[in-house]
Amino acid sequence: VAQAALVVCISHFARSQVMLFSDPAHWHKLRIVHCGVTPARYATTHADGQGAKLLFVGRLSPVKGLRVLFEAFEIARATTPDLTLTVIGDGADRAWVDQHAARIGGISVLGYRSQEEVAQALAQSDVLVLPSFAEGVPVALMEAMVSARPVIATRVGGVAELVEDGISGRLVAPGDAQTLAAAMIQLGSDAQLRRKMGSAGRAKVCADFDIDKEAQWLKMLFEGTASDNLRPSSEADRTS
């Protein structure tokens, strides 16, 4: 940090972690540029059907909280049997995931899918669930929100900078299967709430996590034309 002219952080949380290990004299160099998505790539229509379709997208590894996800799903299905869960991703936990998906029932494991295929899966789903133990600001959540899908995620890392609990989805404590199951039941049984949260989520991503806007902000930082703000909250702020 001392040797750099500019240090780019993806969230306030990430910036705070760099602050821990750098001299306060250099904190002004730490600027926030979000990761982002292209909103036009994602459909916002909702497929009508019986039950609620939950989706997980991520690496199949312990840090993603898959054991908690499956425990919560099993609890939720006991009272909401029309819930289904689709798992997209691959990794070290694949054998465990396949085994327990077969035991629990209602779970489809698709393995790795391309970005385009993930967008298609989101269009056919109702809620994205990401119960990670650690995260930055996950692009999977951005993809779901810009698809006008509510999300259920854990309050870790920079997630709360993207997802507002009760507005664009639900935030739960990491490792808490009971609360995660309750959130699944709540969103799984209320289509009107899903649409309301989905609309709020899309608005948030379009305002603050549009990759073209973030690229323009990064360009301004490189050129030295950015304001003194750590990061503007909208495109209007960038050009003021």
Side-chain angles (χ1 to χ4, degrees):
V1 173
Q3 295 174 354
L6 168 69
V7 180
V8 175
C9 310
I10 66 168
S11 67
H12 284 282
F13 174 77
R15 182 176 183 271
S16 74
Q17 302 311 291
V18 180
M19 291 168 74
L20 280 173
F21 298 100
S22 59
D23 190 312
H26 301 296
W27 286 357
H28 67 281
K29 302 175 185 178
L30 310 180
R31 309 302 289 267
I32 296 171
V33 180
H34 289 151
C35 301
V37 295
T38 304
R41 186 189 296 270
Y42 300 89
T44 59
T45 55
H46 293 262
D48 294 323
Q50 294 291 351
K53 301 176 180 64
L54 308 177
L55 176 67
F56 167 91
V57 179
R59 189 165 22 97
L60 304 188
S61 67
V63 73
K64 295 296 184 179
L66 287 155
R67 285 161 174 77
V68 179
L69 173 63
F70 278 26
E71 180 184 353
F73 180 72
E74 197 165 7
I75 294 168
R77 277 198 103 208
T79 57
T80 315
D82 56 355
L83 285 177
T84 62
L85 172 64
T86 298
V87 175
I88 290 180
D90 214 337
D93 262 2
R94 178 62 186 269
W96 184 94
V97 167
D98 286 337
Q99 177 187 350
H100 288 271
R103 177 185 62 80
I104 295 168
I107 303 175
S108 300
V109 183
L110 303 185
Y112 171 80
R113 291 293 184 270
S114 67
Q115 188 176 35
E116 181 178 346
E117 289 170 322
V118 168
Q120 293 169 355
L122 283 164
Q124 297 166 2
S125 301
D126 298 304
V127 182
L128 182 86
V129 186
L130 190 65
S132 303
F133 296 142
E135 285 288 356
V137 184
V139 172
L141 293 179
M142 299 176 201
E143 291 176 323
M145 292 168 68
V146 84
S147 301
R149 266 56 183 176
V151 299
I152 303 172
T154 41
R155 195 179 283 102
V156 295
V159 169
E161 297 176 41
L162 172 64
V163 183
E164 189 174 356
D165 186 35
I167 302 299
S168 53
R170 292 297 315 280
L171 292 179
V172 302
D176 186 347
Q178 290 288 345
T179 306
L180 180 59
M184 289 178 176
I185 293 168
Q186 179 193 26
L187 288 179
S189 59
D190 193 336
Q192 184 176 358
L193 180 60
R194 293 197 300 266
R195 290 174 186 259
K196 181 180 179 181
M197 287 184 168
S199 295
R202 179 173 172 82
K204 174 65 174 178
V205 172
C206 288
D208 293 337
F209 295 87
D210 181 319
I211 198 166
D212 290 335
K213 294 177 181 179
E214 294 307 301
Q216 179 61 27
W217 173 236
L218 181 60
K219 179 174 182 286
M220 292 168 66
L221 290 171
F222 282 150
E223 292 174 342
T225 59
S227 69
D228 290 336
N229 295 329
L230 287 177
R231 186 195 170 278
S233 59
S234 67
E235 180 63 18
D237 294 334
R238 291 186 177 88
T239 56
S240 60

